[in-house]
Amino acid sequence: MLIKGLTMEEFERGLEKTRTLVVPFGTVEAHGVHLPLGTDTLIIQEVVRRVSERTTVFVAPPVHYGQCTSTAQHPGTISISAETLRRIITDIVRDGFRKGLRRFVLVSGHGGGIHTSAMREAAELLTEELKGVVIAAFAIYDILPPEAMDLADTKNDSHAGELETSLILSLSEELVKGRGREEYPDLPKPIVAADKRRYWPGAVWGNPAKASKSKGDRLFDIMEKSLLDLVRRIEEFGG
Ligand SMILES: [Zn+2]
Protein backbone atom coordinates (compact mmCIF):
# COMPACT_ATOMS: atom_id res chain seq x y z
CA MET A 1 0.00 0.00 0.00
CA LEU A 2 1.60 3.23 -1.17
CA ILE A 3 0.56 5.63 1.59
CA LYS A 4 0.65 8.72 -0.61
CA GLY A 5 -2.47 7.36 -2.33
CA LEU A 6 -4.38 6.29 0.81
CA THR A 7 -7.05 8.27 2.63
CA MET A 8 -6.93 8.50 6.44
CA GLU A 9 -9.65 5.87 6.71
CA GLU A 10 -7.85 3.53 4.35
CA PHE A 11 -4.72 3.98 6.45
CA GLU A 12 -6.65 3.12 9.62
CA ARG A 13 -8.14 0.00 8.03
CA GLY A 14 -4.69 -0.90 6.74
CA LEU A 15 -3.41 -0.97 10.34
CA GLU A 16 -5.64 -3.99 10.94
CA LYS A 17 -3.64 -5.88 8.30
CA THR A 18 -0.11 -4.63 8.96
CA ARG A 19 1.92 -2.46 11.30
CA THR A 20 4.92 -2.32 8.97
CA LEU A 21 6.14 0.76 7.11
CA VAL A 22 8.83 0.57 4.42
CA VAL A 23 10.65 3.87 3.86
CA PRO A 24 12.96 4.17 0.81
CA PHE A 25 15.97 6.51 1.00
CA GLY A 26 17.77 7.95 -2.01
CA THR A 27 20.16 10.75 -2.86
CA VAL A 28 20.64 13.65 -5.22
CA GLU A 29 24.12 12.63 -6.29
CA ALA A 30 26.46 12.74 -9.29
CA HIS A 31 26.54 9.30 -10.96
CA GLY A 32 29.09 9.68 -13.75
CA VAL A 33 28.35 11.61 -16.93
CA HIS A 34 25.77 9.03 -17.99
CA LEU A 35 23.32 8.45 -15.11
CA PRO A 36 20.78 10.82 -13.52
CA LEU A 37 21.37 12.51 -10.18
CA GLY A 38 18.34 10.66 -8.81
CA THR A 39 19.77 7.20 -9.64
CA ASP A 40 19.76 5.87 -6.06
CA THR A 41 16.19 7.07 -5.49
CA LEU A 42 14.92 5.68 -8.82
CA ILE A 43 16.40 2.25 -8.05
CA ILE A 44 15.10 1.92 -4.51
CA GLN A 45 11.67 3.29 -5.43
CA GLU A 46 11.33 0.55 -8.03
CA VAL A 47 12.36 -2.16 -5.54
CA VAL A 48 9.86 -1.04 -2.88
CA ARG A 49 7.12 -0.61 -5.51
CA ARG A 50 7.59 -4.25 -6.54
CA VAL A 51 7.59 -5.40 -2.90
CA SER A 52 4.38 -3.47 -2.22
CA GLU A 53 2.71 -5.49 -4.98
CA ARG A 54 3.77 -8.81 -3.43
CA THR A 55 2.83 -8.24 0.23
CA THR A 56 0.56 -6.09 2.38
CA VAL A 57 2.72 -3.44 4.03
CA PHE A 58 2.67 0.35 4.04
CA VAL A 59 5.20 2.02 1.75
CA ALA A 60 6.15 5.64 2.38
CA PRO A 61 7.15 8.20 -0.24
CA PRO A 62 10.95 8.31 -0.62
CA VAL A 63 13.32 10.57 1.25
CA HIS A 64 15.02 12.03 -1.81
CA TYR A 65 18.11 13.47 -0.09
CA GLY A 66 20.98 11.59 1.52
CA GLN A 67 24.48 12.11 2.86
CA CYS A 68 27.15 12.00 0.12
CA THR A 69 30.88 12.13 0.89
CA SER A 70 33.12 11.16 -2.04
CA THR A 71 30.86 12.86 -4.60
CA ALA A 72 30.25 15.92 -2.40
CA GLN A 73 32.00 18.30 -4.79
CA HIS A 74 30.77 16.88 -8.08
CA PRO A 75 28.26 18.92 -10.07
CA GLY A 76 24.66 18.25 -9.13
CA THR A 77 25.25 16.47 -5.83
CA ILE A 78 23.06 18.05 -3.15
CA SER A 79 23.92 16.35 0.12
CA ILE A 80 22.42 16.64 3.58
CA SER A 81 24.41 16.10 6.78
CA ALA A 82 24.39 12.85 8.76
CA GLU A 83 22.75 14.82 11.57
CA THR A 84 19.87 15.93 9.33
CA LEU A 85 19.42 12.36 8.09
CA ARG A 86 19.28 11.03 11.66
CA ARG A 87 16.68 13.67 12.53
CA ILE A 88 14.51 12.92 9.49
CA ILE A 89 14.56 9.22 10.40
CA THR A 90 13.83 9.96 14.06
CA ASP A 91 10.87 12.20 13.17
CA ILE A 92 9.38 9.73 10.66
CA VAL A 93 9.69 6.73 12.99
CA ARG A 94 8.44 8.58 16.11
CA ASP A 95 5.39 9.95 14.29
CA GLY A 96 4.70 6.67 12.52
CA PHE A 97 4.85 4.98 15.93
CA ARG A 98 2.28 7.48 17.28
CA LYS A 99 0.03 6.56 14.37
CA GLY A 100 0.15 2.88 15.26
CA LEU A 101 3.06 1.58 13.18
CA ARG A 102 5.47 -0.78 14.98
CA ARG A 103 7.85 -2.17 12.34
CA PHE A 104 10.00 0.02 10.13
CA VAL A 105 12.10 -1.05 7.17
CA LEU A 106 14.43 1.84 6.33
CA VAL A 107 16.06 0.84 3.06
CA SER A 108 18.57 2.95 1.16
CA GLY A 109 19.50 2.90 -2.49
CA HIS A 110 22.73 4.68 -1.52
CA GLY A 111 25.45 2.66 0.19
CA GLY A 112 27.72 5.45 1.47
CA GLY A 113 29.44 4.65 4.79
CA ILE A 114 28.52 7.81 6.71
CA HIS A 115 24.97 7.71 5.28
CA THR A 116 24.28 4.11 6.31
CA SER A 117 25.90 4.51 9.73
CA ALA A 118 23.68 7.54 10.39
CA MET A 119 20.66 5.39 9.51
CA ARG A 120 21.79 2.60 11.84
CA GLU A 121 22.60 4.99 14.68
CA ALA A 122 19.13 6.56 14.49
CA ALA A 123 17.59 3.06 14.47
CA GLU A 124 19.59 2.04 17.58
CA LEU A 125 18.47 5.13 19.55
CA LEU A 126 14.84 4.74 18.47
CA THR A 127 14.84 1.06 19.47
CA GLU A 128 15.92 2.08 22.98
CA GLU A 129 13.34 4.87 23.11
CA LEU A 130 10.16 3.28 21.69
CA LYS A 131 8.85 0.19 23.47
CA GLY A 132 7.89 -2.57 21.04
CA VAL A 133 9.35 -0.97 17.92
CA VAL A 134 11.32 -3.14 15.48
CA ILE A 135 13.55 -1.35 12.95
CA ALA A 136 15.87 -2.49 10.18
CA ALA A 137 18.13 0.19 8.64
CA PHE A 138 20.45 -0.72 5.76
CA ALA A 139 21.44 -0.23 2.15
CA ILE A 140 19.74 -2.65 -0.27
CA TYR A 141 23.20 -3.85 -1.39
CA ASP A 142 23.90 -5.06 2.20
CA ILE A 143 21.20 -7.74 2.08
CA LEU A 144 21.81 -9.17 -1.40
CA PRO A 145 23.12 -12.73 -1.81
CA PRO A 146 26.62 -13.15 -3.33
CA GLU A 147 25.21 -14.11 -6.74
CA ALA A 148 23.94 -10.53 -7.13
CA MET A 149 27.48 -9.19 -7.39
CA ASP A 150 28.41 -12.12 -9.66
CA LEU A 151 26.16 -10.56 -12.31
CA ALA A 152 28.94 -8.01 -12.87
CA ASP A 153 31.81 -8.91 -15.19
CA THR A 154 33.82 -6.12 -13.55
CA LYS A 155 35.53 -6.91 -10.25
CA ASN A 156 35.04 -4.18 -7.64
CA ASP A 157 31.98 -2.73 -9.34
CA SER A 158 30.14 0.00 -7.49
CA HIS A 159 28.92 3.58 -7.92
CA ALA A 160 27.57 4.33 -11.44
CA GLY A 161 29.41 1.22 -12.67
CA GLU A 162 28.23 -1.89 -14.48
CA LEU A 163 25.38 -2.85 -12.16
CA GLU A 164 23.93 0.55 -11.33
CA THR A 165 23.98 1.43 -15.02
CA SER A 166 22.27 -1.90 -15.80
CA LEU A 167 19.53 -1.14 -13.27
CA ILE A 168 18.80 2.25 -14.81
CA LEU A 169 18.80 0.65 -18.30
CA SER A 170 16.23 -1.79 -16.98
CA LEU A 171 14.04 1.10 -15.80
CA SER A 172 14.34 3.09 -19.02
CA GLU A 173 17.07 3.17 -21.67
CA GLU A 174 16.30 6.86 -22.18
CA LEU A 175 17.59 7.67 -18.70
CA VAL A 176 21.12 6.53 -19.64
CA LYS A 177 23.07 9.15 -21.65
CA GLY A 178 25.89 7.19 -23.28
CA ARG A 179 28.46 5.58 -20.96
CA GLY A 180 30.96 7.14 -18.54
CA ARG A 181 34.58 5.95 -18.76
CA GLU A 182 35.78 2.98 -16.69
CA GLU A 183 37.20 4.47 -13.52
CA TYR A 184 38.04 3.63 -9.90
CA PRO A 185 38.40 6.26 -7.18
CA ASP A 186 41.94 6.88 -6.03
CA LEU A 187 41.18 8.70 -2.78
CA PRO A 188 44.22 8.91 -0.44
CA LYS A 189 42.50 7.06 2.44
CA PRO A 190 42.72 7.38 5.42
CA ILE A 191 43.64 10.97 4.64
CA VAL A 192 40.54 13.07 3.97
CA ALA A 193 40.97 14.70 0.56
CA ALA A 194 39.94 18.35 0.40
CA ASP A 195 39.74 18.21 -3.39
CA LYS A 196 37.88 14.96 -4.03
CA ARG A 197 37.37 15.50 -7.77
CA ARG A 198 41.12 15.43 -8.24
CA TYR A 199 41.12 11.79 -7.09
CA TRP A 200 37.79 10.80 -8.64
CA PRO A 201 37.04 13.06 -11.61
CA GLY A 202 34.35 10.99 -13.35
CA ALA A 203 32.31 9.83 -10.31
CA VAL A 204 32.32 6.27 -11.71
CA TRP A 205 33.45 3.18 -9.80
CA GLY A 206 33.56 0.29 -12.24
CA ASN A 207 32.97 -0.14 -15.95
CA PRO A 208 29.64 1.18 -17.26
CA ALA A 209 30.46 -0.17 -20.76
CA LYS A 210 29.67 -3.70 -19.50
CA ALA A 211 26.16 -2.75 -18.42
CA SER A 212 23.09 -4.29 -20.05
CA LYS A 213 19.35 -4.13 -19.60
CA SER A 214 19.12 -7.87 -18.96
CA LYS A 215 21.65 -7.70 -16.09
CA GLY A 216 19.51 -4.91 -14.63
CA ASP A 217 16.33 -6.98 -15.02
CA ARG A 218 17.94 -9.90 -13.19
CA LEU A 219 19.35 -7.69 -10.42
CA PHE A 220 15.96 -6.06 -9.83
CA ASP A 221 14.46 -9.56 -9.40
CA ILE A 222 17.13 -10.43 -6.81
CA MET A 223 16.65 -7.12 -4.99
CA GLU A 224 12.89 -7.60 -4.91
CA LYS A 225 13.23 -11.09 -3.44
CA SER A 226 15.83 -10.02 -0.86
CA LEU A 227 13.72 -7.11 0.37
CA LEU A 228 10.55 -9.20 0.38
CA ASP A 229 12.28 -11.86 2.52
CA LEU A 230 13.42 -9.18 4.96
CA VAL A 231 9.96 -7.60 5.18
CA ARG A 232 8.45 -11.02 5.94
CA ARG A 233 11.15 -11.63 8.56
CA ILE A 234 10.56 -8.32 10.33
CA GLU A 235 6.79 -8.89 10.34
CA GLU A 236 7.37 -12.11 12.30
CA PHE A 237 10.19 -10.78 14.46
CA GLY A 238 9.45 -10.93 18.18
CA GLY A 239 11.65 -8.02 19.32
ZN1 LIG B 1 24.17 5.18 -6.63
Side-chain angles (χ1 to χ4, degrees), residues 27 29-31 35-41 43 109-111 141 158-160 164:
T27 54
E29 183 184 27
H31 275 77
L35 295 184
L37 301 170
T39 288
D40 294 341
T41 318
I43 291 168
H110 173 57
Y141 302 99
S158 180
H159 184 88
E164 243 184 357

Short mmCIF file of all heavy atoms in Angstrom, two decimals, residues 27 29-31 35-41 43 109-111 141 158-160 164, ligand 1:
data_model
loop_
_atom_site.label_atom_id
_atom_site.label_comp_id
_atom_site.label_asym_id
_atom_site.label_seq_id
_atom_site.Cartn_x
_atom_site.Cartn_y
_atom_site.Cartn_z
N THR A 27 19.25 9.61 -2.91
CA THR A 27 20.16 10.75 -2.86
C THR A 27 19.91 11.62 -4.08
O THR A 27 19.29 11.19 -5.05
CB THR A 27 21.64 10.32 -2.95
OG1 THR A 27 21.82 9.52 -4.12
CG2 THR A 27 22.13 9.59 -1.72
N GLU A 29 22.68 12.87 -6.29
CA GLU A 29 24.12 12.63 -6.29
C GLU A 29 24.66 12.37 -7.70
O GLU A 29 24.05 11.60 -8.47
CB GLU A 29 24.41 11.40 -5.41
CG GLU A 29 25.89 11.11 -5.28
CD GLU A 29 26.20 9.83 -4.51
OE1 GLU A 29 25.36 8.91 -4.51
OE2 GLU A 29 27.29 9.77 -3.93
N ALA A 30 25.80 12.98 -8.01
CA ALA A 30 26.46 12.74 -9.29
C ALA A 30 26.73 11.24 -9.47
O ALA A 30 27.29 10.59 -8.58
CB ALA A 30 27.78 13.51 -9.34
N HIS A 31 26.31 10.71 -10.62
CA HIS A 31 26.54 9.30 -10.96
C HIS A 31 27.17 9.24 -12.35
O HIS A 31 26.53 8.80 -13.32
CB HIS A 31 25.22 8.53 -10.95
CG HIS A 31 24.81 8.02 -9.61
ND1 HIS A 31 24.26 8.82 -8.63
CD2 HIS A 31 24.89 6.78 -9.05
CE1 HIS A 31 24.00 8.09 -7.55
NE2 HIS A 31 24.38 6.85 -7.77
N LEU A 35 24.52 8.80 -15.88
CA LEU A 35 23.32 8.45 -15.11
C LEU A 35 22.73 9.67 -14.41
O LEU A 35 23.46 10.61 -14.07
CB LEU A 35 23.65 7.37 -14.06
CG LEU A 35 24.08 6.00 -14.57
CD1 LEU A 35 24.29 5.04 -13.40
CD2 LEU A 35 23.08 5.43 -15.55
N PRO A 36 21.41 9.66 -14.16
CA PRO A 36 20.78 10.82 -13.52
C PRO A 36 21.17 10.99 -12.05
O PRO A 36 21.55 10.02 -11.38
CB PRO A 36 19.28 10.52 -13.64
CG PRO A 36 19.14 9.11 -14.03
CD PRO A 36 20.45 8.62 -14.57
N LEU A 37 21.03 12.20 -11.58
CA LEU A 37 21.37 12.51 -10.18
C LEU A 37 20.47 11.74 -9.21
O LEU A 37 20.85 11.47 -8.08
CB LEU A 37 21.23 14.02 -9.93
CG LEU A 37 22.10 14.93 -10.82
CD1 LEU A 37 21.70 16.39 -10.66
CD2 LEU A 37 23.58 14.75 -10.48
N GLY A 38 19.28 11.39 -9.67
CA GLY A 38 18.34 10.66 -8.81
C GLY A 38 18.47 9.15 -8.91
O GLY A 38 17.56 8.42 -8.51
N THR A 39 19.60 8.65 -9.41
CA THR A 39 19.77 7.20 -9.64
C THR A 39 19.44 6.36 -8.41
O THR A 39 18.67 5.39 -8.49
CB THR A 39 21.22 6.93 -10.10
OG1 THR A 39 21.36 7.40 -11.46
CG2 THR A 39 21.57 5.45 -10.07
N ASP A 40 19.99 6.70 -7.25
CA ASP A 40 19.76 5.87 -6.06
C ASP A 40 18.28 5.84 -5.69
O ASP A 40 17.74 4.80 -5.29
CB ASP A 40 20.56 6.40 -4.87
CG ASP A 40 22.06 6.27 -5.08
OD1 ASP A 40 22.48 5.48 -5.93
OD2 ASP A 40 22.82 6.98 -4.37
N THR A 41 17.62 6.99 -5.83
CA THR A 41 16.19 7.07 -5.49
C THR A 41 15.37 6.26 -6.49
O THR A 41 14.46 5.52 -6.11
CB THR A 41 15.73 8.54 -5.50
OG1 THR A 41 16.73 9.34 -4.88
CG2 THR A 41 14.41 8.71 -4.77
N ILE A 43 16.21 3.70 -8.25
CA ILE A 43 16.40 2.25 -8.05
C ILE A 43 15.60 1.76 -6.84
O ILE A 43 14.85 0.79 -6.93
CB ILE A 43 17.91 1.92 -7.91
CG1 ILE A 43 18.62 2.15 -9.25
CG2 ILE A 43 18.11 0.49 -7.41
CD1 ILE A 43 20.13 2.13 -9.17
N GLY A 109 18.91 3.22 -1.20
CA GLY A 109 19.50 2.90 -2.49
C GLY A 109 20.94 3.39 -2.59
O GLY A 109 21.63 3.11 -3.57
N HIS A 110 21.38 4.12 -1.58
CA HIS A 110 22.73 4.68 -1.52
C HIS A 110 23.50 3.94 -0.43
O HIS A 110 23.00 3.79 0.68
CB HIS A 110 22.61 6.17 -1.19
CG HIS A 110 23.90 6.88 -0.93
ND1 HIS A 110 24.93 6.92 -1.85
CD2 HIS A 110 24.33 7.61 0.14
CE1 HIS A 110 25.93 7.65 -1.35
NE2 HIS A 110 25.59 8.07 -0.16
N GLY A 111 24.71 3.49 -0.76
CA GLY A 111 25.45 2.66 0.19
C GLY A 111 26.58 3.38 0.90
O GLY A 111 27.42 2.73 1.52
N TYR A 141 22.05 -3.03 -0.98
CA TYR A 141 23.20 -3.85 -1.39
C TYR A 141 23.72 -4.72 -0.23
O TYR A 141 24.36 -5.74 -0.45
CB TYR A 141 24.31 -2.96 -1.95
CG TYR A 141 23.82 -2.16 -3.14
CD1 TYR A 141 23.42 -0.83 -3.01
CD2 TYR A 141 23.68 -2.77 -4.40
CE1 TYR A 141 22.91 -0.11 -4.10
CE2 TYR A 141 23.17 -2.06 -5.48
CZ TYR A 141 22.80 -0.73 -5.32
OH TYR A 141 22.28 -0.05 -6.40
N SER A 158 30.93 -0.73 -8.48
CA SER A 158 30.14 0.00 -7.49
C SER A 158 29.44 1.19 -8.15
O SER A 158 28.81 1.03 -9.19
CB SER A 158 31.06 0.42 -6.33
OG SER A 158 30.36 1.13 -5.36
N HIS A 159 29.65 2.35 -7.58
CA HIS A 159 28.92 3.58 -7.92
C HIS A 159 28.93 3.91 -9.43
O HIS A 159 30.01 4.11 -10.01
CB HIS A 159 29.57 4.72 -7.13
CG HIS A 159 28.89 6.02 -7.30
ND1 HIS A 159 27.85 6.42 -6.49
CD2 HIS A 159 29.10 7.02 -8.17
CE1 HIS A 159 27.46 7.61 -6.87
NE2 HIS A 159 28.19 8.00 -7.88
N ALA A 160 27.74 3.97 -10.02
CA ALA A 160 27.57 4.33 -11.44
C ALA A 160 28.32 3.39 -12.38
O ALA A 160 28.59 3.73 -13.53
CB ALA A 160 27.98 5.78 -11.70
N GLU A 164 24.87 -0.58 -11.47
CA GLU A 164 23.93 0.55 -11.33
C GLU A 164 23.46 1.03 -12.71
O GLU A 164 22.29 1.36 -12.90
CB GLU A 164 24.58 1.71 -10.56
CG GLU A 164 23.84 1.98 -9.26
CD GLU A 164 24.36 3.17 -8.48
OE1 GLU A 164 25.36 3.82 -8.86
OE2 GLU A 164 23.75 3.46 -7.45
ZN ZN B 1 24.17 5.18 -6.63
#
